[in-house]
Amino acid sequence: MKLNGIKTWKIIAKVGLAISIISLTISSLQYFQFRINEPFVPSKYVPVFINTVLFIGFIYLNFNPMNFRIYAGIFYIYGLGNLVDHGNVLAVTCLFVSALCLYFTGFFDEKKILKAVLLLIPAIICFALQVWEVKFIYSMISLMHIVGYILLMEIAYILIRPYLNLDSDEQKIKYLNSKTYTAQDMDWLTKVAAGYKYIEIAKEANVSESKVKAKMLELYTRLGAIDRVDFLSKYRNYRFEKMTSSLELEENPTSEEKQSLL
């Protein structure tokens, strides 16, 4: 099974739905047993609300498992809810994953600072509600737990990075038929696979960003990808080149097929 392929995300959607059902059941029981008479209204209803959102979101994702804006939305709401309900480590993790999902959908391509600030404001308000309920000193202790968690994750990342081959210069090649793909098509595909934003490609080509986006959506479809996220899951760091001589006999041979044909 290909990492980050649609099969992987279908499994994640199914697992997420199972977890959301269990979480919603537990939070509902918790409400009726412990929280029905709780005086602090926000934290009284938050667990049931965020687990309901999680449940509905994963139902949708089981039909459309690579909609990363839905992932971003449910994790963002879940993160805010956990800030109110004192689950700060889980909250920070959810908000971080939400931001990653938005990043890979191109959400931050424009006005990134403004969008980041607007996303942070609700998080700050939710943390302020927590401070108001449990008093300042306990919130600061919880905040330091978050800082420690981030530091530990950074240390873990530094330790395992060498084993992930993230710094490898090896680049795979995807050969395309020059009769159906232009040199510009291959150049733009290669740049997107390398992490370029549409606006960067547009500036280099001296065209509008909307023209680049429209063309890339067409190319994604021709390569069997749904959108840019799906394309990157299959072709990240690929270089696209035209086929020559006997390679023109096939539409999209792999590098291994090229060797066999030669």
Side-chain angles (χ1 to χ4, degrees):
M1 183 171 61
K2 190 173 183 180
L3 183 63
N4 287 335
I6 191 167
K7 289 183 180 179
T8 303
W9 290 103
K10 284 182 178 179
I11 293 173
I12 290 173
K14 286 181 172 58
V15 173
L17 180 59
I19 292 173
S20 68
I21 292 172
I22 296 170
S23 298
L24 181 56
T25 302
I26 293 172
S27 61
S28 299
L29 292 172
Q30 181 190 45
Y31 172 78
F32 287 109
Q33 290 185 11
F34 304 109
R35 293 195 161 182
I36 194 167
N37 297 317
E38 187 173 315
F40 189 65
V41 175
S43 62
K44 180 177 181 178
Y45 298 108
V46 158
V48 174
F49 172 73
I50 63 176
N51 283 301
T52 300
V53 170
L54 195 70
F55 174 66
I56 295 172
F58 274 110
I59 287 178
Y60 175 84
L61 288 168
N62 270 267
F63 295 97
N64 189 2
M66 293 192 71
N67 190 323
F68 289 90
R69 297 243 170 166
I70 297 298
Y71 280 107
I74 60 178
F75 288 139
Y76 183 73
I77 292 172
Y78 208 81
L80 294 182
N82 273 279
L83 276 178
V84 175
D85 200 35
H86 319 151
N88 291 332
V89 171
L90 181 58
V92 170
T93 305
C94 287
L95 293 175
F96 176 71
V97 173
S98 174
L100 276 181
C101 290
L102 287 175
Y103 174 80
F104 284 112
T105 62
F107 178 78
F108 293 107
D109 286 356
E110 297 179 351
K111 300 179 180 178
K112 60 182 71 175
I113 295 177
L114 174 62
K115 290 177 179 178
V117 170
L118 290 175
L119 288 172
L120 279 173
I121 290 174
I124 293 171
I125 293 173
C126 288
F127 186 73
L129 285 172
Q130 180 191 140
V131 173
W132 181 68
E133 182 192 12
V134 301
K135 307 308 178 186
F136 179 79
I137 186 63
Y138 295 108
S139 295
M140 291 303 100
I141 292 172
S142 185
L143 183 62
M144 292 312 298
H145 287 168
I146 296 174
V147 174
Y149 169 76
I150 294 172
L151 177 61
L152 288 172
M153 290 301 101
E154 179 67 19
I155 292 171
Y157 173 73
I158 292 171
L159 290 173
I160 67 174
R161 182 182 174 90
Y163 300 98
L164 298 177
N165 295 319
L166 296 176
D167 299 317
S168 174
D169 293 329
E170 182 181 354
Q171 188 177 47
K172 295 181 180 179
I173 301 174
K174 176 77 172 176
Y175 292 94
L176 302 176
N177 193 325
S178 59
K179 294 179 180 179
T180 54
Y181 293 88
T182 66
Q184 183 186 75
D185 293 342
M186 298 178 202
D187 179 50
W188 287 7
L189 284 166
T190 299
K191 286 178 177 176
V192 172
Y196 278 61
K197 304 297 184 185
Y198 293 150
I199 192 169
E200 294 173 327
I201 297 173
K203 287 180 180 178
E204 288 188 9
N206 197 27
V207 297
S208 67
E209 183 181 1
S210 59
K211 181 176 180 179
V212 173
K213 184 175 182 178
K215 184 61 179 178
M216 294 312 302
L217 289 174
E218 175 194 330
L219 293 173
Y220 298 153
T221 301
R222 289 166 64 183
L223 288 169
I226 301 171
D227 52 22
R228 182 167 69 174
V229 176
D230 191 18
F231 170 78
L232 288 172
S233 75
K234 299 173 181 176
Y235 297 110
R236 183 178 295 279
N237 293 326
Y238 267 71
R239 186 170 75 250
F240 292 81
E241 295 185 359
K242 68 177 182 177
M243 291 182 287
T244 57
S245 63
S246 58
L247 289 174
E248 297 287 358
L249 295 174
E250 298 187 34
E251 172 66 18
N252 291 318
T254 62
S255 56
E256 290 80 6
E257 290 169 337
K258 178 185 176 184
Q259 294 299 324
S260 62
L261 285 169
L262 294 176

